[in-house]
């Protein structure tokens, strides 16, 4: 389609889509659709013999586009009402217009050019004629025609070749799915936000978006079918809403909302230098989660006291080989040195699940989250594991490091991992290489069996860190990245809260500190309940730290304990969530109103 003739005439109709909020923030911009080329068809001459096959290609694409539109119409009508669905009924009328397709067929016979070129020509002609029309109804049809035209052109051109690396202008990325390795390549400078068809709130893609401070909405189911190149969208990462082709009124409203949030955030940042303690002076550590050494800046700027989870596997992504001991040592040392005197809790490689590394031959299991993942992989590949452990040990001489193993399912696995750690230590000793011989070694509690046997584990581990992202998926049997069952992913489910409480109590019986580093720690609604359970450390994405500090400083441990007690008497996740929200509103109204 020729530039400048696109979208002439009336504004396109606004459409509101609802998904799962993945990373907070509001952003407005043009879309960049991953996997879809710009709709400027390459012009090509064809022979007389090729004419029938070009026409038949056109007819086939008309048919597949027709099915695509019917499906979208059904879905939108069901979810958003018949009125919204009508937008797509109008598109069907355009598609079925015999005048348009006959003109395309006549022209292709006459001009002998490829179908994409001819179709774009005819489309442009229609748009020009209609934009001159006196009749308002006819002018209104321009946006329908351009939308259907783009859809047909997109299907004619095909070829899912465009990746995230092609992004140049600042845009909102739209994709069916993004792997954590894709997200790791995004830059705040060029990616204003992103929205995907699939995915859940605690998918690693969503977690990465929070670290990068890029607003994101996932699990929109069919946004890639709905948006077209050139569209503008509003993305509201607080509420999981995407508005396609918003009216000026909506844009103004969201601009205002965005400013309000920025203002409140600035106020909260002022708490940075105040201690993280309850009204009755119970100290609670507020740490930040990081994926890459660069994320340390955000930990510091948001006033977190250390790193409570360093997901080291991101250092292994987007490269063909494995990082050497030296490379890993340099990365870990830089994090340890910059965070000093605060501690850095470094987690050993957690590959598998939704995180794949091209250089490691980890087969895509049928149930990747239940398969060859994390500590299971590391114990089977002591070469990879020991290299990492040596790098961590060496880095421990340059700051305050704590080591933890992911996906521990019981005490035997913890002991086996420690055997490899001892080997790594003795190899370093032989070479007279320094390390912190008292570096604490902890277990992540993210498998229900570990929570249920946390009494035994607490006798051997130096600390616990509760990984609720996995603990919830494993205890409720809900895949954390599947948007279809996201409604069952309930952090306030009594089963989950009881496992958390059990872990904290068992840890405290053995005098070891217990932290929580899953996304639940940044879920402000749950903060009071967790404080009341006696959690020693919250480690969340750094952007959540200021709000958490405000909550901690606004409540007393005694009152929080009462809230926890009441909550645990309830029998459903919904009841507990509503109660927790009401208590937040009562005890910390400023924060409740922001969320
Ligand atoms: C968790 O499972 O809660 C966790 C922190 O680990 P990850 O999200 O990396 O699986
Ligand atoms: Mg986990």
């Amino acid at each position: 389609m020729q530039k400048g003739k696109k979208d002439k005439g009336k504004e396109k109709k606004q459409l509101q889509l609802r998904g799962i909020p993945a990373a907070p923030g509001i952003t407005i911009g043009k879309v960049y659709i991953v996997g879809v080329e710009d709709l400027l068809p390459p012009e090509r001459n064809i022979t007389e013999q090729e004419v029938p096959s070009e026409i038949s290609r056109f007819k086939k694409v008309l048919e597949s586009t027709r099915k695509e539109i019917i499906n979208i119409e059904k879905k939108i009508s069901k979810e958003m009402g018949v009125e919204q669905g009508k937008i797509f009924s109008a598109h069907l009328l355009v598609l079925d217009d015999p005048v348009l397709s006959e003109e395309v067929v006549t022209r292709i016979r006459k001009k002998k050019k490829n179908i994409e070129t001819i179709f774009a020509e005819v489309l442009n002609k229609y748009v020009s004629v209609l934009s001159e029309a006196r009749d308002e109804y006819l002018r209104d049809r321009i946006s329908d025609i351009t939308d259907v035209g783009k859809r047909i052109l997109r299907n004619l051109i095909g070829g899912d070749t465009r990746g995230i690396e092609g992004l140049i202008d600042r845009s909102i990325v739209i994709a069916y799915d993004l792997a954590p390795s894709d997200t790791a390549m995004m830059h705040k400078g060029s990616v204003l936000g992103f929205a995907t068809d699939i995915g859940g709130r605690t998918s690693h893609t969503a977690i990465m978006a929070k670290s990068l401070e890029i607003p994101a909405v996932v699990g929109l189911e069919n946004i890639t079918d709905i948006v077209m190149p050139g569209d503008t969208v509003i993305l509201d990462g607080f509420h999981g809403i995407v508005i396609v082709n918003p009216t000026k009124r909506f844009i103004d409203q969201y601009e205002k909302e965005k400013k309000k949030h920025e203002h409140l955030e600035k106020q909260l940042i002022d708490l940075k230098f105040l201690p993280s303690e309850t009204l009755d002076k119970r100290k609670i550590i507020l740490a930040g989660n990081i994926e890459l050494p660069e994320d340390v800046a955000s930990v510091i700027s948001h006033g977190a006291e250390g790193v409570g989870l360093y997901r080291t596997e991101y250092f292994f992504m987007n490269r063909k080989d494995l990082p050497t001991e030296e490379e890993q040592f340099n990365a870990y040392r830089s994090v340890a040195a910059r965070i000093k005197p605060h501690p850095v809790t470094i987690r050993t490689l957690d590959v598998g699940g939704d995180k794949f590394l091209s250089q490691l031959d980890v087969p895509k299991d049928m149930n990747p989250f239940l398969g060859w993942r994390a500590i299971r992989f590391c114990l089977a590949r002591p070469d990879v594991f020991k290299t990492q452990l040596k790098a961590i040990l060496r880095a421990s001489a340059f700051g305050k490091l704590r080591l933890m193993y992911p996906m521990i399912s019981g005490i035997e696995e913890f002991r086996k991992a420690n055997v490899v750690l001892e080997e790594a230590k003795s190899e370093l000793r032989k070479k007279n290489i320094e390390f912190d011989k008292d570096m604490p070694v902890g277990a992540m509690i993210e498998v229900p069996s570990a929570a249920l046997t946390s009494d035994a584990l607490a006798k051997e581990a130096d600390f616990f860190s509760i990984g609720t992202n996995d603990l919830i998926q494993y205890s409720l049997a809900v895949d954390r990245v599947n948007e279809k069952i996201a409604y069952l992913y309930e952090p306030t489910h009594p089963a989950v809260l009881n496992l958390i409480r059990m872990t904290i109590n068992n840890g405290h019986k053995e005098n070891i500190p217990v932290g929580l580093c899953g996304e639940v720690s940044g879920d402000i609604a749950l903060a009071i309940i967790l404080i009341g359970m006696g959690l020693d450390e919250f480690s969340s994405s750094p952007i959540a730290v200021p709000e958490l500090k405000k909550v901690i400083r606004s409540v007393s441990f005694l009152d929080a304990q009462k809230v926890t007690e009441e909550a645990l008497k309830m029998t459903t996740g919904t009841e507990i969530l509503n109660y927790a929200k009401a208590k937040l509103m009562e005890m910390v109204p400023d924060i409740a109103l922001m969320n």
Side-chain angles (χ1 to χ4, degrees), residues 210-211 213 287-290 295 298-299 302 304 540-546:
K210 276 193 210 158
S211 292
E213 297 177 40
N289 292 348
I290 64 166
D295 302 338
S298 177
V299 170
H302 287 93
S540 66
S541 105
I543 48 176
V545 166

Side-chain angles (χ1 to χ4, degrees), residues 153-448:
L153 266 180
R154 189 172 82 177
N155 290 343
L156 279 170
I157 296 165
D160 278 2
T161 50
R162 186 156 97 159
I164 191 86
E165 61 287 349
L167 178 63
I168 302 164
D169 299 329
R170 301 188 82 212
S171 316
I172 296 180
V173 172
I174 309 289
Y176 172 73
D177 187 21
L178 290 168
S181 51
D182 291 326
T183 332
M185 281 196 305
M186 286 184 179
H187 293 290
K188 217 172 147 186
S190 55
V191 179
L192 295 173
F194 73 79
T196 58
D197 287 346
I198 68 165
R201 196 188 286 262
T202 60
S203 63
H204 284 95
T205 297
I207 290 171
M208 191 71 192
K210 276 193 210 158
S211 292
L212 295 168
E213 297 177 40
I214 295 176
V217 179
V218 299
L220 287 146
E221 295 191 6
N222 58 353
I223 186 160
T224 50
D225 288 335
I226 289 167
V227 294
M228 290 289 153
D231 281 351
T232 295
V233 301
I234 297 174
L235 186 147
D236 174 356
F238 293 108
H239 303 100
I241 291 172
V242 175
I243 303 174
V244 186
N245 295 313
T247 58
K248 177 153 182 334
R249 188 168 67 83
F250 266 76
I251 294 182
D252 291 347
Q253 183 188 321
Y254 271 91
E255 292 280 14
K256 257 194 221 144
E257 190 71 9
K258 192 173 162 193
K259 287 217 177 82
K260 199 173 91 194
H261 273 283
E262 282 165 1
H263 178 69
L264 288 168
E265 268 159 31
K266 270 202 200 105
Q267 285 182 331
L268 286 177
I269 277 287
D270 293 344
L271 297 176
K272 196 163 142 178
F273 302 107
L274 296 176
S276 166
E277 60 187 21
T278 57
L279 293 173
D280 45 1
K281 305 280 175 234
R282 182 181 166 85
K283 175 101 188 86
I284 297 174
I285 295 169
L286 271 180
N289 292 348
I290 64 166
E291 279 79 49
L292 294 166
E294 299 85 282
D295 302 338
V296 164
S298 177
V299 170
I300 296 169
S301 70
H302 287 93
E305 296 166 288
V307 170
L309 166 64
Y310 178 3
R311 291 184 166 95
T312 54
E313 53 279 1
Y314 281 81
F315 195 61
F316 289 61
M317 284 178 191
N318 294 318
R319 52 185 295 158
K320 290 197 179 68
D321 52 355
L322 289 171
T324 60
E325 180 187 314
E326 201 60 24
E327 280 176 281
Q328 292 187 61
F329 161 64
N330 285 327
Y332 307 153
R333 182 186 58 180
S334 87
V335 173
R338 283 168 71 197
I339 294 290
K340 200 170 143 187
H342 298 301
V344 173
T345 306
I346 186 161
R347 179 178 75 182
T348 56
L349 191 63
D350 182 7
V351 62
D354 62 347
K355 288 172 290 198
F356 292 98
L357 303 180
S358 54
Q359 68 276 46
L360 288 174
D361 199 15
V362 182
K364 292 203 173 180
D365 297 325
M366 283 279 276
N367 290 310
F369 279 113
L370 298 181
W372 203 36
R373 187 188 163 192
I375 197 68
R376 302 166 181 190
F377 170 85
C378 283
L379 291 175
R381 286 288 303 267
D383 52 330
V384 177
F385 191 33
K386 208 191 286 173
T387 304
Q388 182 176 42
L389 290 173
K390 283 200 273 186
I392 295 171
L393 283 165
R394 286 171 60 193
S396 69
F398 296 86
K400 208 167 153 194
L401 281 192
R402 305 198 307 169
L403 173 80
M404 72 178 172
Y405 306 123
M407 223 188 154
I408 290 292
S409 60
I411 190 108
E412 281 187 303
E413 236 168 2
F414 185 72
R415 287 178 185 155
K416 278 185 191 156
N418 275 341
V419 169
V420 188
L421 179 67
E422 285 310 314
E423 284 169 19
K425 283 183 181 172
S426 86
E427 285 176 27
L428 292 183
R429 268 191 214 104
K430 271 188 207 136
K431 289 186 184 162
N432 284 327
I433 297 177
E434 263 189 64
F435 60 87
D436 173 7
K437 61 178 183 11
D438 298 320
M439 176 174 67
V441 181
M444 278 198 77
I445 304 294
E446 49 184 350
V447 178

Side-chain angles (χ1 to χ4, degrees), residues 278-280 282 284 526-535 538 551-552 554-568 579-580 583 587-588:
T278 57
L279 293 173
D280 45 1
R282 182 181 166 85
I284 297 174
L526 263 79
I528 300 176
I529 293 182
L530 294 172
I531 296 170
M533 282 185 184
L535 191 72
F538 286 70
V551 177
I552 291 171
S554 307
V555 302
S556 72
F557 181 46
L558 213 67
D559 287 341
Q561 278 177 309
K562 287 183 195 146
V563 172
T564 308
E565 237 170 76
E566 276 311 302
L568 288 173
Y579 174 70
K583 280 288 161 192
M587 296 162 94
V588 205

